[in-house]
Amino acid sequence: MQSEIIISNDFESIKNEILANYDINDIRFFEVDEFLVEDARDIIKESYIAEVSEKLIVIMAKSYRIEAQNALLKILEEPPKNIFFCIVTTSKSLLLPTIKSRLVIKNRLKKIQRSEIGLNLKKLELKEIVEFIDEKSALQRSDKLDKNELLKLFDDILYAAFIQGINFSANELEYFYKLSTLITLNAKPHTILTPLLLMIYKK
């Protein structure tokens, strides 16, 4: 057994697979929409409950607060005897680099159909950016663009940029991580798309 991060858009199948491969008495599941500091504290307490056999602590969340991840760092780096962790997330960009560096990462994403974003990123114009952001903001106001759809749009734009040969520095990639975190906190489309598209426009 080893501690790991599983990237998946199908939490239910991952849970079923874990239940099929481990004794139910050796697993502790922590399933939440948003992983908070309180959840991290509960996991740390669970980690220090002595076990004769190996115990797997499974954390499944759609978003992870930065402060909650920081609270887990020490226990992930130096887990108690017989304790292993499995962090399940929809995107590795939602996790801090310090978390990712401590665990083995397994990509179990099912193939996602990439959507056409409707922009030629190599020939962006400011007017086009404004119209695109206004359109997405209007969709959000009419409840036709939720945070999960905005996160997918964000990923699709970055994917399109990479495919079109647009390169980003380590600092820019770190900035994109912060933007993706804001999406999970219900940031408005213009807050996310404006800096992203302007950065691509400058390139």
Side-chain angles (χ1 to χ4, degrees):
M1 193 183 295
Q2 64 180 356
S3 292
E4 60 190 17
I5 294 166
I6 296 178
I7 314 299
S8 175
N9 45 21
D10 188 351
F11 283 13
E12 196 60 33
S13 69
I14 297 297
K15 183 176 181 179
N16 290 336
E17 184 178 320
I18 291 170
L19 288 169
N21 290 322
Y22 298 96
D23 188 314
I24 186 66
N25 297 314
D26 298 332
I27 313 169
R28 302 292 183 277
F29 284 100
F30 289 83
E31 299 177 73
V32 292
D33 280 335
E34 184 175 28
F35 188 72
L36 306 173
V37 170
E38 293 77 11
D39 301 309
R41 290 181 184 139
D42 289 341
I43 286 166
I44 291 167
K45 287 177 188 174
E46 180 66 38
S47 301
Y48 284 107
I49 298 174
E51 297 287 345
V52 176
S53 59
E54 293 180 340
K55 178 167 65 177
L56 178 65
I57 295 176
V58 182
I59 308 164
M60 309 180 98
K62 293 177 181 174
S63 64
Y64 291 80
R65 296 293 291 266
I66 291 176
E67 60 271 25
Q69 293 185 58
N70 282 326
L72 281 183
L73 280 177
K74 184 171 175 55
I75 199 83
L76 291 175
E77 191 167 39
E78 299 176 7
K81 184 180 177 181
N82 289 333
I83 300 299
F84 297 88
F85 297 93
C86 177
I87 299 175
V88 186
T89 178
T90 56
S91 171
K92 66 180 179 181
S93 67
L94 296 178
L95 299 176
L96 292 171
T98 44
I99 294 279
K100 291 182 283 192
S101 67
R102 284 164 170 75
L103 305 178
V104 174
I105 299 177
K106 294 183 178 178
N107 189 336
R108 300 288 297 281
L109 281 172
K110 293 184 176 178
K111 190 170 181 62
I112 296 174
Q113 185 67 39
R114 290 285 175 184
S115 302
E116 286 293 327
I117 59 173
L119 291 172
N120 183 344
L121 299 180
K122 286 274 194 172
K123 297 181 179 178
L124 271 181
E125 297 182 3
L126 289 174
K127 180 183 177 184
E128 189 180 12
I129 291 174
V130 171
E131 290 174 350
F132 183 83
I133 293 170
D134 285 347
E135 176 195 339
K136 302 308 176 187
S137 295
L139 287 173
Q140 191 265 340
R141 285 193 299 272
S142 60
D143 295 325
K144 293 178 181 175
L145 183 76
D146 63 21
K147 66 180 180 181
N148 291 325
E149 290 164 327
L150 179 57
L151 185 59
K152 184 178 185 309
L153 175 62
F154 181 82
D155 285 342
D156 285 343
I157 291 171
L158 279 180
Y159 179 77
F162 289 128
I163 289 297
Q164 292 180 36
I166 300 172
N167 297 313
F168 301 102
S169 67
N171 285 340
E172 287 169 337
L173 292 173
E174 184 68 24
Y175 179 66
F176 294 151
Y177 164 75
K178 292 175 182 175
L179 284 179
S180 67
T181 302
L182 287 176
I183 296 174
T184 67
L185 300 177
N186 294 312
K188 302 295 184 187
H190 67 83
T191 304
I192 303 300
L193 299 176
T194 301
L196 172 64
L197 292 174
L198 285 178
M199 194 175 291
I200 293 172
Y201 170 76
K202 288 177 183 176
K203 289 181 174 288

